[in-house]
Amino acid sequence: MTPSSHSDTDAGTEAKAQAGTGGGAEPETPTGPDADTRNRTRATRAHSFNTAAAQYAANRPSYPPALFDVIEELAGRPLTGARVVDVGAGTGIATVLLRARGAHVLAVEPGAGMAAEFRRTVPGVPIVRGDGNALPLRDACADFLTYAQSWHWTDPARSLPEALRVLRPGGVLALWWNTDALDVPWIAAQTRRIERYFDDEQASKRGTGSKEGVAGTRTELAFEGAPDIPDHAHRVVRWSRRVPVDTHLANITSHSIFLVLGEEGTEAFLAEERAHLLEAFPDGQVEEVYDVLVIVATRS
């Protein structure tokens, strides 16, 4: 499936997207000095991934098969044979899994660096430049819209109406995030160290310490500012992976707060953090534990 041959997208989709239809657009937000600072910080963090696309692809966690079982259950329809648009596809971690479930996938990604890595690692899947606030797609063209780790970079006041526009009647919007399981002691301790390092309790990518807390917090925020909130349901899926210490450190420092910090500041954190991890995991294999929050909404 390519953008030009996909019967439900315009023939000029890729050119249109690369010409600036939604590509890298920032949400409209209130003005003023404080808002301007927040917007600049947000934009810097959002675009920081393009400088570390290979690191992101090599070290970020994937998603468990159970996640896609839950999506199909909540959606009431299979991914197999469905036309899926994976928005904010990044390097293609979720795209690969969606394709493996039998979906016909089109990827949308705003970042040049991430899109280049996607084309290298996921050949054969079409990708267009654009973002969730202004999707470069025609109306009612998709059975599923998926946002893996990417919905929080959008403005729901714009991205939710866009999602509903692009979905067919009965189509499904699926959002999900890998969040760290803060009821695991070593993860909670690492989170506190990151927060202290950045002197900001909101600095880490972490959740709230329990499956219920993660779900409640993220679900409340997911559609904040949207004009109409669609019917939706959520679940939390726990899973884990074992990785070498170096992979774990490369994973956490592929997050935007570290990417904008710079090499010198990041190296200082890594030196101290490596010692903490080897104390907890003397064999050098870290057991990362994740709670995947998935939110599924259906277009009426």
Side-chain angles (χ1 to χ4, degrees):
M1 181 177 68
T2 64
S4 58
S5 64
H6 179 24
S7 61
D8 292 310
T9 57
D10 290 323
T13 292
E14 185 161 17
K16 179 180 175 184
Q18 292 180 347
T21 306
E26 286 301 314
E28 293 176 357
T29 52
T31 58
D34 291 342
D36 289 345
T37 299
R38 288 195 301 271
N39 292 343
R40 284 194 299 271
T41 300
R42 185 174 182 276
T44 299
R45 289 181 63 173
H47 292 289
S48 66
F49 300 111
N50 291 299
T51 64
Q55 177 186 352
Y56 190 108
N59 300 290
R60 280 291 183 102
S62 186
Y63 306 102
L67 167 65
F68 300 95
D69 295 338
V70 167
I71 290 171
E72 291 180 327
E73 178 188 343
L74 295 179
R77 61 189 303 173
L79 286 159
T80 301
R83 294 187 182 274
V84 177
V85 179
D86 189 23
V87 185
T91 62
I93 294 172
T95 307
V96 169
L97 299 176
L98 290 163
R99 183 173 61 172
R101 297 288 290 212
H104 304 292
V105 189
L106 171 68
V108 177
E109 167 57 38
M114 298 292 265
E117 185 68 18
F118 181 103
R119 292 187 180 99
R120 188 183 71 81
T121 59
V122 194
V125 174
I127 182 169
V128 297
R129 295 287 299 284
D131 75 10
N133 292 325
L135 291 166
L137 303 168
R138 59 187 294 179
D139 296 353
C141 69
D143 299 313
F144 284 83
L145 254 65
T146 60
Y147 287 75
Q149 310 284 139
S150 60
W151 181 259
H152 58 282
W153 295 117
T154 74
D155 172 12
R158 298 168 64 189
S159 57
L160 183 58
E162 274 292 271
L164 298 178
R165 176 185 67 79
V166 169
L167 285 170
R168 293 170 171 162
V172 174
L173 172 64
L175 324 173
W176 67 87
W177 295 265
N178 267 324
T179 65
D180 289 336
L182 291 183
D183 57 336
V184 176
W186 81 263
I187 294 176
Q190 182 180 78
T191 298
R192 290 191 295 270
R193 289 193 295 271
I194 292 173
E195 291 169 352
R196 286 196 299 268
Y197 193 76
F198 287 94
D199 193 26
D200 181 358
E201 65 179 12
Q202 301 301 319
S204 81
K205 64 187 173 68
R206 286 16 183 191
T208 58
S210 69
K211 291 185 180 183
E212 294 75 15
V214 168
T217 300
R218 187 79 79 168
T219 304
E220 287 175 7
L221 297 176
F223 301 119
E224 188 175 41
D228 294 297
I229 298 177
D231 291 337
H232 62 280
H234 70 264
R235 295 274 184 84
V236 177
V237 178
R238 176 160 289 195
W239 73 288
S240 64
R241 68 170 188 167
R242 286 183 62 83
V243 296
V245 167
D246 285 345
T247 299
H248 174 72
L249 291 173
N251 169 23
I252 62 175
T253 56
S254 74
H255 287 263
S256 61
I257 196 165
F258 282 100
L259 295 177
V260 300
L261 177 64
E263 185 174 347
E264 184 176 349
T266 297
E267 288 299 322
F269 172 83
L270 289 176
E272 181 177 338
E273 189 60 24
R274 184 184 301 276
H276 287 295
L277 290 170
L278 289 174
E279 182 178 351
F281 301 98
D283 66 351
Q285 296 293 311
V286 177
E287 181 80 14
E288 297 179 344
V289 184
Y290 295 99
D291 286 332
V292 189
L293 169 65
V294 56
I295 301 172
V296 171
T298 302
R299 178 189 168 187
S300 59

